Amino acid sequence: DIAFMILSHVVYNLRMKIYTKAGDDGETSLCSGEKVRKNDPRVRACGAVDELNCVLGECLALNKDEEIGGMLVQIQRDLFVIGSHLAEAKIDEEFDTEVLEEAIDLMEEELPELKDFILPGGFPLAAKIHTARAVCRRAEREVCNLATTSEISQYLNRLSDLLFVLARYTNMKCGNADLKWH
């Protein structure tokens, strides 16, 4: 009991508050310690990638398919690493677009050929995946404003393709046809 009390006291004293007030002046710190404005292109890119990760979390909450869930969790992990790169934490990891391409190819084998533009929507999970695709495109645009992130841009470009196909695939698995734009 005394050990638990000591451990509880140590853990309590190590806890950090979620608010630091350090950003109240419109600045934030990158991983390097450099202070930048919150509208700095690196911060904007990190924010867009973070938002994409959150939307994918919503997709996971709606998902009931183990295969899709595993794919989404791996993408979320990749996005965390991408965010650290953008914040200059310099984690040395390559982003494997071939894995995304293979997943696209496998899903497209089962999908009807796309001959029309389609409208986002359908099954709730598919509609949310379409939202993730649009957020991914925005994140890609934000990353393109940075000079040294071509590998990340390539990954996000392929990821948005995957999310488009995944939304169609999800609709197909749930018995919803693509909603064609005329």
Side-chain angles (χ1 to χ4, degrees), residues 27-143:
E27 290 188 339
T28 190
S29 295
L30 299 175
C31 292
S32 65
E34 177 187 357
K35 285 204 132 217
V36 295
R37 297 290 303 162
K38 288 187 177 184
N39 63 350
D40 181 272
R42 289 170 290 182
V43 177
R44 291 175 57 90
C46 285
V49 168
D50 183 40
E51 183 181 354
L52 173 58
N53 212 335
C54 291
V55 174
L56 291 174
E58 289 180 285
C59 292
L60 275 167
L62 293 169
N63 178 57
K64 296 190 182 343
D65 184 283
E66 193 173 316
E67 178 187 8
I68 291 172
M71 185 185 323
L72 292 175
V73 167
Q74 183 55 53
I75 291 167
Q76 284 191 302
R77 289 181 175 136
D78 291 346
L79 291 174
F80 237 82
V81 174
I82 286 171
S84 70
H85 275 270
L86 295 172
E88 300 180 344
K90 305 289 187 198
I91 294 174
D92 292 325
E93 187 167 320
E94 292 184 11
F95 306 103
D96 193 354
T97 57
E98 288 182 13
V99 170
L100 301 178
E101 291 167 1
E102 289 171 9
I104 291 169
D105 293 343
L106 286 172
M107 288 184 285
E108 281 192 322
E109 286 177 7
E110 296 184 44
L111 288 168
E113 184 181 352
L114 188 60
K115 297 179 181 180
D116 300 290
F117 287 107
I118 64 166
L119 298 173
F123 189 73
L125 174 58
K128 187 52 78 173
I129 293 170
H130 276 296
T131 302
R133 175 193 50 77
V135 172
C136 187
R137 286 289 185 204
R138 182 163 39 79
E140 180 186 4
R141 290 189 300 273
E142 294 290 351
V143 167

Side-chain angles (χ1 to χ4, degrees), residues 12 14 19 122:
Y12 178 79
L14 291 177
Y19 59 91

